[in-house]
């Protein structure tokens, strides 16, 4: 009997609710709904690809940086198949953004462009080469294929840490010059903490 692809322990981190609260305070409800919808469809893209390849999820943890999926069976897949799963969420976001933008141009309904923008922003964010985002995992898989897993992980860790620090520096600069720059700074430092945690450089770190 095949394993169920999603029979996981589901947990929601407090940081996720804090992010939703902050977004609701500083953004219109339409924008919040667009971001949450885009995030949900992003994760469904990952899960659909996992289901296709018969990968089951052991633990699903929702945080401010997105969902952390604990799926040990991923390690048994080829680099190509894991790359497809890694980029499935971004692919769904881009596909939805194109459809919504076309619908918006056809009907001139503002909400279509808001939801399309949310999908594009989420896709761009997840493609950053920063652990634990999809872009970093895709980079690691590509480097591991050509240079070996040890080199791939080391290079990805260095690129991830450098990009995280650069985003934090940009966040600090924006927070000093723009009224709403503090929100970017908050997000960038949260991403840095996620990077340190995933790389095992922060207390309580664990791999997922």
């Amino acid at each position: 009997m095949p394993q169920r692809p999603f029979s996981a322990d589901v947990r929601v981190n407090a940081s996720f609710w804090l992010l939703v609260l902050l977004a609701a305070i500083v953004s219109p409800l339409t924008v919040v709904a667009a971001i949450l919808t885009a995030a949900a469809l992003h994760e469904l893209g990952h899960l659909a690809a996992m289901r296709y390849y018969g990968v089951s999820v052991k633990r699903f943890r929702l945080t401010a940086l997105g969902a952390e999926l604990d799926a040990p069976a991923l390690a048994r897949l080829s680099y190509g198949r894991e790359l497809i799963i890694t980029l499935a969420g971004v692919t769904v976001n881009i596909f939805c953004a194109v459809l919504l933008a076309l619908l918006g141009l056809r009907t001139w309904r503002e909400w279509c462009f808001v939801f399309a923008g949310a999908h594009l922003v989420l896709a761009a964010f997840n493609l950053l080469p920063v652990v634990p985002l999809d872009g970093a995992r895709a980079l690691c898989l590509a480097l591991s294929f050509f240079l070996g897993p040890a080199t791939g992980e080391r290079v990805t860790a260095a690129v991830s840490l450098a990009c995280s620090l650069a985003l934090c520096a940009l966040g600090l600069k924006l927070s000093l010059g723009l009224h709403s720059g503090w929100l970017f700074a908050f997000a960038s430092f949260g991403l840095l903490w996620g990077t340190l945690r995933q790389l095992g450089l922060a207390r309580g770190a664990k791999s997922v």
Side-chain angles (χ1 to χ4, degrees):
M1 183 175 180
Q3 285 186 307
R4 293 172 59 190
F6 191 79
S7 54
D9 174 26
V10 180
R11 299 181 183 181
V12 181
N13 190 276
S15 63
F16 172 79
W17 298 117
L18 178 59
L19 179 64
V20 172
L21 178 61
L22 287 174
I25 292 173
V26 302
S27 304
L29 290 180
T30 303
V31 174
V32 177
I35 293 173
L36 292 177
T37 302
L41 290 173
H42 178 96
E43 299 308 331
L44 285 175
H46 288 306
L47 292 173
M50 286 183 176
R51 181 183 180 87
Y52 180 80
Y53 289 117
V55 177
S56 60
V57 178
K58 181 179 179 181
R59 184 174 65 250
F60 183 93
R61 185 169 178 263
L62 196 58
T63 73
L65 296 178
E68 297 178 357
L69 303 177
D70 183 5
L74 281 175
R76 297 196 293 269
L77 296 180
S78 65
Y79 288 127
R81 290 186 175 184
E82 188 176 350
L83 183 62
I84 290 173
I85 292 174
T86 298
L87 297 178
V90 170
T91 302
V92 168
N93 286 139
I94 294 174
F95 179 75
C96 290
V98 171
L99 286 183
L100 287 165
L102 291 175
L103 180 61
L105 290 172
R106 190 180 182 88
T107 63
W108 289 105
R109 295 186 178 180
E110 183 179 355
W111 68 266
C112 291
F113 296 107
V114 173
F115 276 71
H119 278 284
L120 283 178
V121 169
L122 189 63
F125 174 73
N126 272 281
L127 285 174
L128 290 173
V130 178
V131 174
L133 302 180
D134 296 335
R137 186 58 190 162
L139 176 63
C140 184
L141 289 170
L143 291 174
S144 297
F145 177 78
F146 290 105
L147 304 176
T151 301
E153 290 179 5
R154 284 197 299 269
V155 174
T156 301
V159 171
S160 179
L161 191 56
C163 289
S164 295
L165 292 172
L167 287 172
C168 287
L170 178 60
L172 285 175
K173 183 177 180 180
L174 291 177
S175 65
L176 296 175
L178 297 175
H179 177 68
S180 58
W182 65 270
L183 189 59
F184 185 90
F186 176 82
S188 60
F189 276 97
L191 186 58
L192 175 61
W193 172 252
T195 299
L196 294 175
R197 178 174 170 272
Q198 290 288 313
L199 296 179
L201 301 176
R203 185 178 178 183
K206 56 183 178 180
S207 59
V208 295

